[in-house]
Amino acid sequence: MTQLLPQHRGNACRLASCGMLLGPIWPTHVCSAPCLEEKQEASQHSPALLAGLGNDIVLRKLSELQAGERCCVVGTLFKSMQLQPSILQEISEEHNLVPQPPLPKYIQPSDELMLEDELQRIKLEGAIDVQRLVTGTIMAVYGCEQDDGRFLVEDHCFAGLPPALPWNGPSSDRFVLLASGLGLGSVSGEALLSTQLLVDVVTGQLGAEGEQSCAAHITRVILAGNLLSQNTQSRDTINKAKYLTKKMQAASVEAVKMLDEILLQLCTSVPVDVMPGEFDPTNYTLPQQPLHRCMLPLASAYATLRLVTNPYQASLDGVRFLGTSGQNISDIFKYSSMDDYLEILEWTLLAGHISPTAPDTLGCYPFYKSDPFILTECPHVYFCGNAPHFQSKLLQGKEGQRVLLVTVPDFSATQTACLVNLRDLTCQPITFSGFGADSEDGDMEVGH
Amino acid sequence: MELRGQGFLIQVVCWVFSLFQVTYKWLSYTLGVHVNQAKQMLYDYVERKRKENSGAQLHVTYLVAGNLLQNGHVCHKVAVVREDKLEAVKSKLATLASVHVYSIQKALLKDSSPLYNTDYDIVKSNLQHCRPAKARCAPRAPPQSTQGPREPGATGTANGHGPAAARAPPQQHRGIAGMFAARAAAKGQDTPRESKAEAREAPGVSAASSKPPTKNSIMNNFFGKAALNKLKANSVPEQPKEEKEVVKPSVAVAEPESSPNSVAEKPGKKAESAGIQQEDKKSKTKRADRSDDEEERDPENVKKKRKRIKQLQSDSSDDEDVPPSPTPEEERAPSPAPAPAPKAELEPASAEVSAAGRKRKRKRVLKSKMFIDEEEGCMVTEKVYESESCTDSEDEFCKPKAPAPHKQPLLPTKREPKEERKNLKKGAAPANRANKQVSIMGFFQKK
């Protein structure tokens, strides 16, 4: 029987929330409310963007388009991809399709972009990078409709950086440690010593006096998802006979116990915010709910343990943090030609939406009235977890926005965490290593 | 720390060095010193040993921390390195933040995982030592408490039951006694039995079935044998259902009482449940046989009940006095009037079964229990089935533990638990009572 792969559920959600079927066009008022805010944003920007072309830019709805007239249209993008896993196709008996294995990227040259607004959709072509864009982006396009019904794009723009937040940062050095992908419960134990070293540094046991006093300035630790390893996601028990699996314990049980002990050590010294990730025992759809405190009996005794959602937004010492565990970025990575996590991160900020591909390809709760993933204010630190490498960039906006973009690397693979200095919004990676049988220069080669 | 003290501690280090390795963290936890001090002690020890050239090969690992430039980033690096690699690593770092001894071991380490294991073990053992006393350790939420509204009187006791049920029987007795006390039921037999049944996640039927038999016994007195026979006929089809429902909770709930073969906490109840389970397996003809048995016993019952009508009436009034408790049970009873007959039927059957199936040769004897009912200020005598067996000692043992919080101090405590145990099985209370003539020696049974 075909298994309902998680990524395919997104399709169903998409259908529900956007009301667009591959066939008839359903009334789109369902999706218009959340999109409207963004569209208003985009529509405000488009005249500004295209001011260079003249002030007489006409903003039209798709239904009002006239062939040959140059105008600006605001709408949601939809990219129809051939390789996109579709749950409808998979369960369709006519096609007898075997579910395709997950690919790293689903883009193909034959993909097409469509712009949808409340009532209609139109195919886009022209000066627009089809490969780069993903479904769900709100954008404004400038061009004209052609005779064959397609829209020839001359220019396009996004919502742009959201308005800036006032800066209330600290005046002395304060650090926040960002780590993700601890990957507990994995079969290999190489990262365990590194995890222990991380805990020791944060709790001030490791290092000489100078190091310890630096560690004393760490005011928060944020664990951005994937605390458990993917190995704990064993689904075999579903297929096995009950009598075989009766005494078996899920791998995640042991891993959560280890996590509890690690968190206990951390919580005794520093406040810890724990975000769930893709492989953590919480719900699948975004926004992921916090891990339940009953799973962490030792650590929950401390008030310094904060179990938070994914995505997570908080003000730490006057600095606004916003970040996810990386599912949004990796999903865009799969459906776009963009390869760099930092680039994707920046692009989501410019597009004004944390996760445009949800709920199309990424599971998401079908929000009806308002979309909480729309960026209304510009955070000071914007991070995503479980990236392949550490990268960071300070983005300056036109209206004085200053955003530190950080891609937090996967700790189980890279043994690297990030230290963000709240005073000047700088970020430094910190790498931990032990020595293995082959060590020599292996220690030095970790990281980027 | 003065040198002498350090020397002493270093001796300790030597002593503990019989272990494979000593990490700074291990030392710190074991000796109760600051980590920096432990590191210093390790360093001193290494120095001393090296100076002495005692020939004992010491392998030291160091922790190196510093900054290095990588891909244009200033990357902070923290590494545990072996002694031989120390200089190499240090040279690669642009700035050196700290170097200190991480651990000492006797043999060369190929891998850093033993270091992790040592640290993990010591941290774990330390975690247990200094775990804060949590007020959060709430008593196990009883499964029953989530089951919807229970009788207010029994709720507290159900809560006491829940964990008790999961735990050892002695606590159950306590809970039962508490429940019994809280209910202040005249029917020492019935109501505790009912509450206990409730507490056991049994569907209301089980509770109800124990309750209605009480009523039926009264009805029998009024309507006579004819009615009794009719009720019996009605109850026979109902009984399988009830029995099934009793079986289900008793099977599902892993409690000593419910499992028929476990320790005889409530031998009576257990025998009953065993009987019930066995009955389920038996065919309907068997049930017909039992109904025959029942008929034989009914005259007995009727007779007995007629004799003791006054007490029963007082019991029933007591029942009404305990308002909330019976009502929900009754509401839940699908069959509002299962006859006592099924219960009577159960008793002999279970007696047979118990005799047959038990290894412990438990005999069910009808005994007369007398207790003082505070509400009415009267003495109530009830006949209950008790199992006497070689394992009675366990039952007897547990009973005294069951506290009767506010209940009659006059009343011998042991009676209540026994009665409550009786109530565990939803065996018919009146049926138990009314069946056999009990010798006075029951009073002096080994408890």
Side-chain angles (χ1 to χ4, degrees), chain A residues 246-260:
Chain A
K246 208 149 200 157
K247 295 271 169 72
M248 273 168 59
Q249 202 184 46
S252 50
V253 174
E254 202 52 49
V256 168
K257 280 192 201 152
M258 268 174 24
L259 175 70
D260 195 20

Side-chain angles (χ1 to χ4, degrees), chain A residues 103-156:
Chain A
L103 297 172
K105 278 202 184 283
Y106 292 99
I107 53 176
Q108 268 206 320
S110 61
D111 297 337
E112 289 178 337
L113 269 184
M114 268 166 271
L115 191 74
E116 300 172 354
D117 70 355
E118 290 95 351
L119 297 176
Q120 290 186 359
R121 49 160 45 182
I122 195 165
K123 204 167 277 191
L124 296 180
E125 57 183 16
I128 195 160
D129 189 350
V130 179
Q131 301 298 313
R132 201 181 136 87
L133 296 170
V134 289
T135 305
T137 319
I138 308 282
M139 62 190 290
V141 291
Y142 178 74
C144 64
E145 186 188 358
Q146 296 188 303
D147 297 329
D148 61 354
R150 296 173 189 231
F151 195 89
L152 188 64
V153 177
E154 293 172 23
D155 206 349
H156 68 277

Side-chain angles (χ1 to χ4, degrees), chain B residues 233-245:
Chain B
N234 291 340
S235 69
V236 165
E238 290 160 4
Q239 184 181 359
K241 181 171 58 160
E242 290 163 22
E243 289 169 355
K244 283 207 173 54
E245 302 194 54

